Amino acid sequence: MPGFEIFGEEERKEVNEVLETGVLFRYGFGPTRKGRFKAMTFEKELAERLGSGYAHLCSSGTAALSIALASCGIGAGDEVVVPPFTFIATIEAVLNAGAIPVFSEIDATLCLDPEAIKNVLTSKTKAVLPVHMCGAMADIERIKELCSREGLILIEDVCQSLGGSFRGKALGTFGSMGCFSFDYVKTITCGEGGAVITDDRGLYMKADAYSDHGHDHIGDDRGLEDHPILGTNYRISELNAAVGIAQLGKLDYILETQRRHKNTIKDAISGIPGVNFRNLPDEQGDSATFLSFLLPDEGRARLAVKELGKAGVDGCFYWYDNKWHYIRQWDHLKKMVSSARLPLEMYEDYPDYESIELPVSNSIMGRLISMQIKLSWTEEELDERITKITGALKQSS
Ligand SMILES: *Cc1c(COP(=O)(O)O)cnc(C)c1O
């Protein structure tokens, strides 16, 4: 997830254009801004790139999720189906909407299992929020079918998988809304930033208003604008948006490089006994920020992680122990530790997150290792890396 690896002249030029006018705000300021609208430009380019009707830029991926939930009318008491393997931000956004996260099992795609979702649906289920994890797709077509059949809203968390696709269609365009992050470690970065995309003009208008205190953005005088809805402030600054424009221009280069590096490593380790790769519903659509593989059991996965560490292979993740990405280590969620009482505590039958059982997800996560794919590797570094990786994996197989 390495947009920051390739900052250059392009980012500086875009940012300087904003500094020259001094207009750091995305709306208004007429002639002073000399026709420079960085947020708006990024939105147009992103929508075009992803083949989506509309894009709205905001302050973070977490904000994007909150905007999508609010725009789709998801709030107090609604149940939202989520995966246990994600970044905690997905869960926070649901909780902050006043809604109830309901965990469902993942499968070997590392994302929500479409079959398993059926087991957690209740009369209160309003939406399904799959997360395209570690650069690649959930079984999104089947999840979409299920949502259509059951009358559920589909919102995609694509924060980790910008540039990924399923059968040529961009991730984020399958649901009512798709959410992206441009934080510092994502595929492209604004420093901080995020976006929602949608084909639905009504949803776009709501997202646009909600993320700026409900302003309808009609007319030149902010003080005289109408407020069709209540909102909040999830705006992005022009400085951040400017960085994003330059980064978006590098997306093709990023994807092409990642895919080449990933495939080289994948080919090199694919013959090693016991190494099985993550299930990709469409291999071509992998954005290739990570190479993820499963070992036969937890013991061997732990041994492999140890051997990879000893060999000096950096950027290896054993998510099962990771505090950020898997429910097993989310003690704050399990014990519901929050600075204020959470809205969902007002409902009698919200899930007891401490006693939730996810045996299938646990079994997958205990065996899973992901390797981060970097852009900056030279051919020699890649060769050296492969020697170390194959050595370590053979040690532990
Ligand atoms: C990074 C991330 C987010 C949140 O994005 P921020 O811009 O850091 O708020 C949400 N979901 C997933 C899966 C992420 O990886």
Side-chain angles (χ1 to χ4, degrees):
M1 302 169 140
F4 69 80
E5 287 183 89
I6 50 168
F7 278 141
E9 219 26 70
E10 301 80 6
E11 283 78 2
R12 276 191 288 279
K13 176 179 163 288
E14 290 289 340
V15 170
N16 278 332
E17 281 184 13
V18 177
L19 291 175
E20 273 161 28
T21 66
V23 181
L24 312 190
F25 195 63
R26 67 164 297 175
Y27 301 110
F29 290 90
T32 323
R33 65 189 315 138
K34 299 193 177 131
R36 289 170 192 172
F37 290 91
K38 296 302 180 186
M40 220 196 298
T41 305
F42 189 172
E43 284 164 351
K44 280 207 189 101
E45 291 179 2
L46 185 69
E48 210 164 283
R49 165 76 208 215
L50 299 174
S52 175
Y54 307 90
H56 182 71
L57 219 53
C58 58
S59 52
S60 70
T62 312
L65 289 160
S66 293
I67 293 167
L69 289 163
S71 302
C72 291
I74 295 158
D78 295 329
E79 291 185 355
V80 180
V81 178
V82 291
F85 181 41
T86 177
F87 177 45
I88 188 75
T90 318
I91 316 306
E92 288 169 339
V94 175
L95 289 171
N96 289 333
I100 304 169
V102 173
F103 289 93
S104 188
E105 298 272 24
I106 59 166
D107 60 20
T109 63
L110 311 183
C111 308
L112 278 178
D113 173 0
E115 282 302 313
I117 294 173
K118 293 177 192 157
N119 303 330
V120 301
L121 300 180
T122 74
S123 58
K124 290 193 287 180
T125 313
K126 186 131 180 203
V128 180
L129 209 177
V131 182
H132 301 286
M133 272 307 272
C134 301
M137 75 288 316
D139 202 344
I140 193 65
E141 197 61 62
R142 284 180 61 211
I143 295 175
K144 187 182 165 80
E145 277 163 24
L146 172 100
C147 288
S148 308
R149 210 164 47 239
E150 303 287 340
L152 301 171
I153 297 164
L154 173 62
I155 296 174
E156 299 170 73
D157 181 336
V158 204
C159 289
Q160 294 199 3
S161 299
L162 173 71
S165 59
F166 177 71
R167 297 193 182 141
K169 187 171 158 62
L171 302 182
T173 62
F174 289 83
S176 296
M177 294 192 116
C179 305
F180 295 83
S181 165
F182 309 117
D183 80 22
Y184 190 58
V185 296
K186 297 302 207 274
T187 305
I188 68 169
T189 184
C190 290
E192 296 283 0
V196 289
I197 61 168
T198 181
D199 279 333
D200 182 318
R201 181 158 176 83
L203 289 179
Y204 164 71
M205 302 278 276
K206 277 193 192 144
D208 177 67
Y210 182 75
S211 58
D212 182 26
H213 308 292
H215 283 294
D216 65 7
H217 302 130
I218 296 171
D220 297 329
D221 188 340
R222 268 179 86 73
L224 294 178
E225 280 180 38
D226 271 334
H227 302 94
I229 52 170
L230 286 168
T232 183
N233 176 8
Y234 287 136
R235 290 187 308 258
I236 192 163
S237 90
E238 287 285 274
L239 286 173
N240 294 88
V243 176
I245 291 174
Q247 288 263 298
L248 188 60
K250 299 177 179 181
L251 182 58
D252 283 330
Y253 167 79
I254 292 174
L255 294 173
E256 190 260 320
T257 308
Q258 283 175 175
R259 285 171 178 153
R260 187 159 35 80
H261 289 171
K262 187 203 89 171
N263 285 334
T264 308
I265 301 177
K266 186 171 182 178
D267 289 347
I269 67 171
S270 63
I272 299 175
V275 172
N276 280 296
F277 297 102
R278 154 191 201 171
N279 174 15
L280 292 165
D282 175 12
E283 174 113 42
Q284 306 294 315
D286 183 0
S287 77
T289 52
F290 284 97
L291 174 62
S292 297
F293 54 93
L294 298 144
L295 291 161
D297 55 55
E298 185 181 330
R300 264 181 284 187
R302 287 187 181 279
L303 185 59
V305 173
K306 214 166 102 189
E307 292 295 334
L308 287 163
K310 269 203 281 183
V313 181
D314 60 354
C316 294
F317 293 88
Y318 184 58
W319 306 114
Y320 199 47
D321 287 348
N322 184 289
K323 299 245 178 191
W324 287 25
H325 291 284
Y326 187 56
I327 194 169
R328 192 169 88 100
Q329 298 281 14
W330 292 342
D331 289 336
H332 55 336
L333 172 73
K334 292 185 189 169
K335 298 190 163 41
M336 300 284 275
V337 186
S338 175
S339 57
R341 193 173 173 223
L342 290 165
L344 99 171
E345 292 177 73
M346 306 196 24
Y347 314 113
E348 269 169 19
D349 52 352
Y350 68 87
D352 173 4
Y353 295 111
E354 199 151 26
S355 67
I356 271 173
E357 296 205 16
L358 295 157
V360 178
S361 304
N362 278 336
S363 153
I364 291 167
M365 297 306 294
R367 295 182 289 127
L368 176 69
I369 297 174
S370 295
M371 287 178 175
Q372 194 169 23
I373 303 297
K374 285 205 172 168
L375 298 173
S376 50
W377 291 331
T378 62
E379 293 299 319
E380 294 75 50
E381 282 169 336
L382 198 53
D383 282 348
E384 204 181 303
R385 206 176 170 77
I386 284 170
T387 309
K388 288 179 184 166
I389 293 171
T390 47
L393 291 181
K394 279 177 187 157
Q395 281 291 320
S396 48
S397 77

